[in-house]
Amino acid sequence: MPREFQRGHKARISDLTAGTDLYVGVQITAPGLTFDISCFGLDADERLSDDRYFVFFNQPKSPEESIQLLGAQAGDTESFRITLDRIPPQIRKLSFTATLDGAGQMSQINPGYLRIVAGGEEVARYAFNGSEFTSERAVMLGDFYLKDVWRFAAVGQGFDGGLDALLKNFGGEVAEEEAPAAPQPPQAGSAAPSFAPPAFGAPPAPQQPQPAAQGFAPPPGATPPPAPAPAPPVHAAPTIVAPLVPPGGQVPPPAPAPAPYGQPPQQQPYGQGPAPTAPMPPGYGQQPPQAPQAPPGYGQPTPPPGYGQQPPFGQVPGQQAYGVPQGAPQGGAGVASALQQFKETPTGQRWTQQNRKMIRVDLGIGGQPVLARQGSMVLYQGKVDFSYKGAGFAGRIVGNATGQEMQLMRCTGQGQVFLAENSTHVHPIELQGDAICVSAENVLAFDESLQYEVRRIEGHGIPGGALFTMQFQGTGTIVVKTHGTPVVLPVTPTTFADCNAVVAWSAASQVVVSSQVRMRRNAYPGDTGESVNLQFRGAPGNFIVVQPYEV
């Protein structure tokens, strides 16, 4: 039986299958609607910094063929072959998306799914339907992301703006379209191919059926993937998105790019440049024709990058920069340029750390409410409701008696909430069925799906509530706050820590009081002040977290 995922759920790929050669199938349909299903290969900043890793019907594979578009088969609207151990190190996430081609919205879709097949057996399935969306025209269905190991997340996040909003989320912009020029007439006696890879300067090789590679087994009824085309030379077409400006302001050479989105690729005779005919019709990802004279500074060193200097992703030099008012000075120091380093961190996950002291939770991903410390909200966007989360009479009694009472609020709705408290450092910790012990004083927020209870530490006579802690267990994320940057240490038989500096530890560790408690530690000369220490014991793999601060 495949593992069923709900929106917001995550898992390690190794927990689903031991293989790295995977089949990803997507089924999404609606009466009278057409969908374009794509895969974005993103870098560590969740940006499409290399558009060769935008895999869609006009660019059906990545350069090293670690991502391949297979087409509709075995009941899937679209399918992909993903070879995780061949993905280059600069690609840290694969985002599978669906966008509407034409009018319509995602609320009209029939029940669909994204599934993962390994060795001919379906190992994971994320099901969705139109009731989860409203007016969205594009949706991120699921992600493969590298966090120590490759993991899968069911996302289900939509964008009202369709493909434009999706590209901006990945750091790109769609070039403005112009009136199409007259297309080049086909040569007599030749028929336009029904499908061809992007024009790389050489005609595509005829696609011949080829057995699947060893270790890759598509689902039953699926056709084998097409044979890989010969290694192409560099791209000749203009890029759909421009690369990031590197430090120092050097403008990189134009990156290779696929054929225009939604158009068949233009083919050129091998070894020859473009024929002196009418230009290709401009479309998605194609820049309008430019004057014969190159823009000033093209290919030359430029001043340090600032807001409005380097055109945004996919924007042609000379166009109005996105988000800059008309008449605003381009280049030079300004308010927007000075604040650029503090802009919001790209998101795509339920929890996203904005900086060391602030975190954002997206309530639209997963649909699960969040419990946060009262008063920790510093900003929110969207329709979010905040309500008091009471612990009940018994909970208040236990909290007061143990010192582990948490004053919480419940955050629900559709939107984003930014959390912080007293400029402490925040650290999101993802639990996948395991458990962790955290003092209530160090908890900022957590998913409501997590189970938590007060746990007693072995020992006697410790004043001030140091005898207890909170244990969190389940599947979800807990955000721990610390004073300063903490240190994580492995548990050994000789691991001791001050009970006032310990933040958290693995639940499998055994904790005992190791030193005698002095009720009046300052009552006599020569007292060190280090009266209560905790000793940690456990099997290899257990840990403790200590902050450079004593509560």
Side-chain angles (χ1 to χ4, degrees):
M1 291 290 295
R3 180 171 173 180
E4 298 289 342
F5 281 75
Q6 296 181 358
R7 186 164 59 174
H9 285 185
K10 307 172 185 177
R12 299 182 182 91
I13 297 295
S14 58
D15 293 340
L16 305 175
T17 176
T20 59
D21 205 351
L22 307 177
Y23 172 97
V24 178
V26 176
Q27 184 189 77
I28 181 168
T29 58
L33 300 184
T34 305
F35 298 88
D36 293 326
I37 302 173
S38 311
C39 177
F40 289 82
L42 309 176
D43 59 19
D45 295 325
E46 298 189 10
R47 286 290 189 263
L48 183 65
S49 56
D50 188 340
D51 60 340
R52 295 177 301 170
Y53 290 89
F54 176 30
V55 176
F56 63 107
F57 64 86
N58 256 3
Q59 182 165 259
K61 59 184 177 180
S62 59
E64 72 293 320
E65 302 179 6
S66 62
I67 313 169
Q68 300 182 42
L69 186 71
L70 304 181
Q73 56 181 318
D76 299 329
T77 310
E78 190 60 89
S79 61
F80 299 82
R81 178 183 180 181
I82 307 299
T83 311
L84 294 178
D85 53 4
R86 296 181 59 187
I87 296 177
Q90 69 270 21
I91 301 300
R92 311 288 290 183
K93 176 184 287 190
L94 305 179
S95 181
F96 295 90
T97 66
T99 57
L100 277 165
D101 185 7
Q105 55 189 20
M106 288 296 176
S107 61
Q108 301 173 248
I109 64 175
N110 299 323
Y113 59 78
L114 182 149
R115 62 175 181 153
I116 303 174
V117 178
E121 178 182 358
E122 183 175 333
V123 297
R125 175 180 289 244
Y126 162 49
F128 53 85
N129 56 65
S131 63
E132 301 177 22
F133 309 104
T134 54
S135 60
E136 295 93 335
R137 292 179 42 79
V139 62
M140 294 191 303
L141 299 174
D143 292 341
F144 285 38
Y145 63 101
L146 186 59
K147 184 180 179 182
D148 299 330
V149 296
W150 281 102
R151 306 167 186 253
F152 171 72
V155 180
Q157 179 181 358
F159 294 86
D160 289 342
L163 187 60
D164 292 10
L166 190 63
L167 275 175
K168 289 175 182 177
N169 181 71
F170 293 143
E173 289 189 0
V174 181
E176 296 182 1
E177 297 187 0
E178 294 185 350
Q184 181 178 356
Q187 298 179 358
S190 62
S194 58
F195 180 86
F200 296 111
Q207 298 183 5
Q208 299 292 339
Q210 179 179 353
Q214 184 177 4
F216 174 71
T223 58
V234 296
H235 291 268
T239 58
I240 61 170
V241 291
L244 287 167
V245 178
Q250 297 292 335
V251 180
Y261 188 91
Q263 299 181 9
Q266 184 182 15
Q267 303 182 17
Q268 301 291 345
Y270 183 79
Q272 298 183 10
T277 58
M280 293 177 60
Y284 170 77
Q286 182 176 355
Q287 299 179 353
Q290 299 181 0
Q293 183 178 2
Y298 182 80
Q300 300 177 4
T302 60
Y307 189 86
Q309 282 188 351
Q310 179 69 15
F313 291 101
Q315 182 175 338
V316 181
Q319 292 181 348
Q320 178 68 23
Y322 175 76
V324 181
Q326 295 287 343
Q330 302 297 313
V335 175
S337 177
L339 298 179
Q340 189 75 355
Q341 58 178 319
F342 306 115
K343 65 181 181 180
E344 182 181 358
T345 303
T347 61
Q349 301 296 329
R350 178 170 169 83
W351 296 87
T352 305
Q353 195 160 358
Q354 301 299 302
N355 51 52
R356 292 184 301 174
K357 302 180 181 181
M358 186 182 300
I359 194 166
R360 161 182 163 164
V361 56
D362 194 329
L363 298 179
I365 298 180
Q368 292 288 340
V370 167
L371 299 179
R373 185 176 292 273
Q374 292 183 17
S376 61
M377 185 275 294
V378 296
L379 168 70
Y380 76 92
Q381 297 173 314
K383 299 179 179 179
V384 181
D385 294 325
F386 301 91
S387 60
Y388 172 74
K389 176 65 169 71
F393 179 77
R396 290 196 300 270
I397 294 296
V398 173
N400 290 331
T402 62
Q404 297 298 313
E405 184 179 9
M406 294 187 295
Q407 300 292 333
L408 300 175
M409 61 181 180
R410 192 168 186 261
C411 310
T412 58
Q414 296 287 329
Q416 302 82 37
V417 181
F418 293 77
L419 302 172
E421 187 178 59
N422 295 334
S423 195
T424 54
H425 292 205
V426 295
H427 314 274
I429 301 175
E430 181 182 349
L431 302 181
Q432 295 185 351
D434 44 355
I436 188 172
C437 293
V438 185
S439 174
E441 175 66 25
N442 296 100
V443 176
L444 179 65
F446 56 94
D447 285 318
E448 192 179 41
S449 58
L450 291 177
Q451 302 174 359
Y452 57 97
E453 62 181 357
V454 178
R455 185 177 179 184
R456 182 176 184 273
I457 300 175
E458 294 295 333
H460 301 282
I462 302 180
L467 188 63
F468 301 91
T469 187
M470 298 295 297
Q471 177 174 305
F472 293 81
Q473 186 171 10
T475 300
T477 298
I478 176 175
V479 181
V480 177
K481 60 188 183 76
T482 64
H483 294 270
T485 304
V487 60
V488 179
L489 298 172
V491 170
T492 69
T494 58
T495 300
F496 300 83
D498 189 316
C499 68
N500 293 315
V502 173
V503 175
W505 61 86
S506 51
S509 301
Q510 180 185 6
V511 188
V512 296
V513 177
S514 66
S515 59
Q516 182 181 3
V517 179
R518 301 183 178 94
M519 299 298 294
R520 300 177 61 191
R521 62 184 186 182
N522 296 325
Y524 58 93
D527 186 12
T528 65
E530 303 295 340
S531 300
V532 182
N533 292 331
L534 299 179
Q535 181 180 9
F536 292 83
R537 305 167 184 169
N542 288 282
F543 62 88
I544 63 170
V545 182
V546 181
Q547 64 184 359
Y549 178 89
E550 291 191 3
V551 178

